[in-house]
Amino acid sequence: MSLNLNQPLFREKLTVQKPDNPRVPFANWVQFNNPPRPAPQDEREVVTGILTHEKRPRKRGRKPANGQEEPLNHVKAERQRREKVNQIFYALLAVVPNISKMDKASLLGNAITYITDLQKKLKEMESERNGPNNC
Amino acid sequence: MSLNLNQPLFREKLTVQKPDNPRVPFANWVQFNNPPRPAPQDEREVVTGILTHEKRPRKRGRKPANGQEEPLNHVKAERQRREKVNQIFYALLAVVPNISKMDKASLLGNAITYITDLQKKLKEMESERNGPNNC
DNA sequence: GGGCACACGTGAATC
DNA sequence: TGATTCACGTGTGCC
């Protein structure tokens, strides 16, 4: 119940990066079905984000411009960071046995209960080993 | 090294929600030093985000308006989800013993190695129990 | 001052 | 349809 293994797991959007490939689970994750790096290869998004907060003191009224020259580095760095934590989420998925639901919060929760389970089991096994045993 | 326990851990910005309280580690997390809910209590951001993608087919040219009436629900839901996974991250923090660095990726990585460690230890303890033992 | 890490609002997709 | 979840670009604080 509530776990479809033939389902997207962590939903993958990729609407900006790859307009095709609509339902492959996590196609931009490393070591899934790609060569070591999925080869970003398309920098053609050109986002031009304009954001106007109101009622905020705005520490600095800086912002050089929204000409897509300098902040492109930031975007790429954030992409990389995101991909990294998703990889690790995926690795966690492989290590925790009984996943109840396929979202990050549940996976994390299952991992925690699994850890405490292992800890408890290990501890009672230990106390059984050198306690009043049959020897 | 590289682990300052008197440091913000997961850095908390709160620039939009709370202009005060600049350095308390995670002031908006539940059961930290607040009553059960930190009481969102300020809906005054009024962000009016305008985003202009280029070279994108844009599935639907819908968007009713940016009058802050309906999408406010979505914003709140996402805030809640974010808070939830952060809580669980915090819970994981309490369960994993040797945290090398205080960011989400490292915490997750340490959790994974800890799990595999426990698994290995448990398995060899088990095989030692009913193997050719001293009895 | 550049790099890093995080929170945020938002679009989209799934159910 | 409405709720839930995720990825994304962005703002920003800290080293």
Side-chain angles (χ1 to χ4, degrees), chain B residues 1-93:
Chain B
M1 246 218 245
S2 76
L3 175 64
N4 297 343
L5 278 185
N6 50 351
Q7 276 300 91
L9 308 151
F10 300 156
R11 227 186 285 90
E12 254 299 315
K13 222 66 55 53
L14 290 181
T15 52
V16 177
Q17 291 189 340
K18 284 166 140 46
D20 46 17
N21 205 352
R23 292 278 302 188
V24 180
F26 349 44
N28 67 341
W29 291 17
V30 195
Q31 87 245 78
F32 180 61
N33 54 8
N34 304 22
R37 299 238 80 217
Q41 86 186 345
D42 47 350
E43 320 277 306
R44 75 197 197 291
E45 324 100 337
V46 195
V47 171
T48 330
I50 300 171
L51 226 70
T52 311
H53 290 239
E54 283 185 342
K55 297 200 176 67
R56 296 299 310 153
R58 273 279 148 263
K59 275 282 173 57
R60 289 288 179 228
R62 305 293 296 118
K63 289 288 95 187
N66 42 1
Q68 314 81 340
E69 343 200 26
E70 216 210 315
L72 196 140
N73 213 356
H74 184 210
V75 171
K76 195 174 303 198
E78 176 64 9
R79 266 204 277 248
Q80 234 160 312
R81 175 188 157 273
R82 222 147 35 199
E83 192 182 323
K84 184 169 65 175
V85 323
N86 277 346
Q87 274 178 240
I88 313 184
F89 260 109
Y90 210 28
L92 184 64
L93 194 64

Side-chain angles (χ1 to χ4, degrees), chain A residues 11 13 47 49 58 74 79 82 103-104:
Chain A
R11 226 184 287 91
K13 222 67 54 50
V47 171
R58 275 279 147 263
H74 184 207
R79 266 203 278 248
R82 222 148 32 200
D103 62 87
K104 281 172 175 169

Side-chain angles (χ1 to χ4, degrees), chain A residues 26-38 83 87 90:
Chain A
F26 348 45
N28 66 342
W29 289 16
V30 194
Q31 87 244 80
F32 180 62
N33 54 6
N34 304 23
R37 298 237 82 216
E83 191 183 323
Q87 274 179 239
Y90 211 28

Side-chain angles (χ1 to χ4, degrees), chain A:
Chain A
M1 246 221 254
S2 76
L3 175 64
N4 296 344
L5 278 187
N6 49 352
Q7 276 301 95
L9 308 150
F10 299 155
R11 226 184 287 91
E12 254 298 316
K13 222 67 54 50
L14 290 181
T15 52
V16 177
Q17 291 190 341
K18 282 168 144 45
D20 46 16
N21 204 349
R23 292 278 299 188
V24 180
F26 348 45
N28 66 342
W29 289 16
V30 194
Q31 87 244 80
F32 180 62
N33 54 6
N34 304 23
R37 298 237 82 216
Q41 88 188 345
D42 46 349
E43 319 276 308
R44 72 198 202 291
E45 324 103 333
V46 194
V47 171
T48 329
I50 300 171
L51 225 71
T52 309
H53 289 239
E54 284 186 340
K55 299 200 176 66
R56 296 298 310 152
R58 275 279 147 263
K59 276 278 173 61
R60 289 290 178 228
R62 306 296 296 118
K63 289 291 94 184
N66 40 2
Q68 315 79 342
E69 341 198 26
E70 216 210 315
L72 197 139
N73 212 357
H74 184 207
V75 172
K76 196 175 303 198
E78 177 63 9
R79 266 203 278 248
Q80 234 160 309
R81 176 188 158 270
R82 222 148 32 200
E83 191 183 323
K84 184 169 67 175
V85 323
N86 277 347
Q87 274 179 239
I88 313 186
F89 259 109
Y90 211 28
L92 184 64
L93 194 64
V95 159
V96 175
N98 295 325
I99 310 296
S100 66
K101 225 163 124 280
M102 230 20 165
D103 62 87
K104 281 172 175 169
S106 307
L107 170 56
L108 234 39
N110 288 131
I112 292 180
T113 55
Y114 181 56
I115 287 182
T116 53
D117 241 38
L118 285 183
Q119 286 174 338
K120 188 188 328 187
K121 205 171 297 187
L122 198 60
K123 188 178 291 187
E124 70 185 34
M125 224 170 174
E126 225 169 65
S127 71
E128 165 190 330
R129 192 234 294 262
N130 53 6
N133 56 355
N134 48 350
C135 222

